[in-house]
Amino acid sequence: MMYKNEYELKMKELLNDKNTYKTIRNDPTQKLMRNTIINNLYKQRRLDAKQKFQLTSAAANAPRLYGLPKIHKPHAPLRPICSFVNVPCYKLSKFVGSILENIISEDLNIKSSLQLKEKINNFTIQDYEILISFDVVSLFTNIPIHLAIRTIMRKWEKLETHTQIDKKQFQTILDFCLRDNNYFSYNNTLYQQIYGMPMGNPLTPTIADIVLDKLLDDSLAELKSKDIYVKYITKYVDDIFAIFKVKDVEDILTVFNAQHTKIQFTKELEQNNKVAFIDVEIHRKNQNLTFNWYAKPMASGRIIKYHSNHAWKQKINTATSLIRKIHLISDGDFIEENKKKIKNILFKNSYPHTLIEKLIINTIQEMDHPNSSNGQTEANTNKLELPTYPD
């Protein structure tokens, strides 16, 4: 629990960082609303009438800053979040983000832990190799805007095949979304973020991917020039998983951290032959890899409560989705242990024991024998009776 006084003190401490924020006198929202970017693109037939209507903002407010506690870290520091809904650039940022997604590296990125499992399931790990995860310290707020724009524009040859907007106009849009709209209000005071990108801007996650791709590409090229080779590396937003030789750990971390003074990496080495990454625990066993579902120790385990006022099908789907996810991620060695975890989570959310047992049996049966079920599992789920309780 965090009391209001503690929250306000931590927010004040954040905003006192003069290298990142400064106060401004006037609210630029109305001025930004009058920009002609959308109209110009429409006149030049870069947008059709429907797109013009979708991207035009009829009303807007200044972004609002709030802090989310990082409860998994000592003293629960705050993560600054800007609420960008109804900000002048919000719709345009989402539109540009959908274009920029096309230049995110497919080789370096994964979309889920299941995809990671598929990619490395058959890897052989030698005794001199190590499993390791890296994390970027406060990535979003440490990405320099000039670096982000320069990195994107250098990929223009690939990017231009995905848009009708020309290069000069595209850079103007990036400047508008990333520089001009980089302001917010907190406690009736207006601020401008003079360094980094705010969490909350729809563009920020996509640009973070692109910039981190560039830093990793440069790092890998430098390592190769030093005859240091990474057996495998992938990332999910700012979390990185890699396999390489034990003797190269410090050299690789040094190269990563030398790419940019503000973008720094921390490492977590495998312990007891395992390392956690996203929601999967990767185990080393006899030179092979096995996988187990992972949840952080502070995870609440909250899902839709059984007695909540949701549709019956929503509750069942929530429970079966949890069962499917854990079962798909986990290898056979962990199935029985994870069944206990599933039962515990569902029971804590008031699901009756009899229903939990039926859901686990039906869902796993369908997953293990998809061709033999012929839709019977869904029918069985629909027939599950709601338990009755005495008044």
Side-chain angles (χ1 to χ4, degrees):
M1 178 184 292
M2 183 180 293
Y3 291 100
K4 184 177 180 180
N5 288 343
E6 183 185 359
Y7 172 84
E8 291 181 344
L9 190 64
K10 289 183 176 182
M11 288 297 289
K12 184 178 180 181
E13 186 180 337
L14 270 174
L15 294 171
N16 279 341
D17 180 359
K18 303 302 180 185
N19 293 319
T20 306
Y21 307 106
K22 71 174 184 180
T23 57
I24 54 177
R25 291 184 178 181
N26 300 316
D27 186 346
T29 302
Q30 294 306 313
K31 180 181 177 182
L32 294 170
M33 283 275 294
R34 295 192 293 271
N35 80 85
T36 59
I37 291 174
I38 305 300
N39 283 332
N40 289 342
L41 291 174
Y42 176 67
K43 289 176 182 177
Q44 296 165 13
R45 297 185 179 181
R46 311 288 187 187
L47 299 174
D48 58 33
K50 183 180 179 181
Q51 289 174 315
K52 178 180 181 293
F53 175 77
Q54 290 173 335
L55 296 176
T56 300
S57 295
N61 330 89
R64 181 179 60 85
L65 186 76
Y66 61 94
L68 286 181
K70 302 178 185 179
I71 60 174
H72 59 290
K73 294 192 175 180
H75 311 298
L78 296 180
R79 177 183 284 113
I81 310 288
C82 280
S83 176
F84 256 71
V85 179
N86 292 329
V87 172
C89 74
Y90 180 72
K91 296 177 182 178
L92 191 56
S93 286
K94 292 185 74 173
F95 174 73
V96 174
S98 66
I99 298 171
L100 291 178
E101 286 175 356
N102 293 289
I103 59 171
I104 294 175
S105 170
E106 293 183 4
D107 295 331
L108 281 176
N109 291 274
I110 56 166
K111 295 181 179 179
S112 68
S113 50
L114 288 174
Q115 188 180 8
L116 173 65
K117 181 179 178 180
E118 290 172 3
K119 286 189 173 186
I120 65 173
N121 199 27
N122 296 318
F123 273 32
T124 300
I125 306 300
Q126 307 301 327
D127 292 339
Y128 54 80
E129 294 174 327
I130 191 168
L131 311 177
I132 185 169
S133 69
F134 294 98
D135 181 44
V136 184
V137 181
S138 302
L139 174 62
F140 291 0
T141 52
N142 280 313
I143 296 176
I145 291 175
H146 69 274
L147 173 64
I149 294 176
R150 185 173 72 240
T151 301
I152 291 168
M153 299 316 296
R154 284 180 175 174
K155 294 177 177 287
W156 181 252
E157 187 174 334
K158 182 178 179 182
L159 191 60
E160 65 180 340
T161 61
H162 300 283
T163 180
Q164 296 182 28
I165 302 171
D166 65 38
K167 186 176 182 179
K168 184 177 179 180
Q169 287 174 316
F170 201 87
Q171 183 159 347
T172 298
I173 293 171
L174 289 176
D175 284 330
F176 176 73
C177 293
L178 301 180
R179 297 185 196 275
D180 300 344
N181 282 265
N182 211 1
Y183 72 107
F184 57 83
S185 67
Y186 175 74
N187 206 13
N188 298 319
T189 302
L190 288 162
Y191 296 84
Q192 181 181 358
Q193 186 166 337
I194 56 178
Y195 192 91
M197 298 174 57
M199 294 183 71
N201 187 329
L203 260 179
T204 299
T206 305
I207 289 181
D209 265 329
I210 294 168
V211 171
L212 197 50
D213 285 350
K214 171 71 164 57
L215 294 182
L216 287 180
D217 280 338
D218 291 346
S219 296
L220 294 174
E222 184 176 340
L223 289 169
K224 187 176 181 181
S225 70
K226 297 178 178 181
D227 291 327
I228 298 174
Y229 294 91
V230 176
K231 182 172 185 176
Y232 181 77
I233 189 166
T234 193
K235 71 181 183 68
Y236 181 84
V237 191
D238 60 347
D239 291 321
I240 298 168
F241 170 74
I243 304 171
F244 44 75
K245 295 178 181 178
V246 177
K247 69 180 182 65
D248 294 330
V249 169
E250 293 305 322
D251 289 336
I252 290 173
L253 184 61
T254 298
V255 169
F256 282 0
N257 283 334
Q259 298 305 314
H260 196 281
T261 55
K262 277 282 191 176
I263 302 176
Q264 297 295 292
F265 297 77
T266 59
K267 69 178 187 298
E268 182 180 340
L269 305 177
E270 66 172 89
Q271 292 185 354
N272 300 320
N273 295 321
K274 63 184 179 182
V275 69
F277 178 70
I278 322 177
D279 58 356
V280 63
E281 205 170 53
I282 305 160
H283 293 244
R284 174 206 295 266
K285 184 179 179 182
N286 300 328
Q287 296 189 327
N288 296 317
L289 295 178
T290 60
F291 304 86
N292 188 21
W293 175 70
Y294 173 78
K296 290 183 178 179
M298 72 289 301
S300 67
R302 292 175 183 169
I303 60 173
I304 293 177
K305 290 279 187 181
Y306 180 76
H307 295 300
S308 68
N309 193 27
H310 286 76
W312 167 249
K313 192 167 185 177
Q314 278 185 288
K315 299 172 189 177
I316 297 302
N317 286 345
T318 300
T320 53
S321 294
L322 175 69
I323 298 166
R324 288 178 64 86
K325 178 181 180 180
I326 295 175
H327 191 65
L328 282 169
I329 289 175
S330 306
D331 285 334
D333 293 348
F334 308 103
I335 295 298
E336 292 306 315
E337 172 194 347
N338 284 333
K339 281 183 182 178
K340 294 176 183 177
K341 292 179 181 178
I342 293 168
K343 290 176 183 179
N344 186 48
I345 291 171
L346 293 177
F347 183 69
K348 284 184 175 180
N349 286 277
S350 305
Y351 285 73
H353 281 297
T354 52
L355 177 61
I356 293 170
E357 293 289 346
K358 288 180 181 179
L359 286 172
I360 292 175
I361 292 170
N362 288 351
T363 305
I364 292 178
Q365 204 170 49
E366 180 194 25
M367 294 170 67
D368 290 345
H369 308 284
N371 296 326
S372 62
S373 64
N374 294 323
Q376 290 300 310
T377 302
E378 184 175 352
N380 291 339
T381 299
N382 290 332
K383 290 178 182 178
L384 290 172
E385 296 180 359
L386 281 74
T388 57
Y389 299 91
D391 293 336

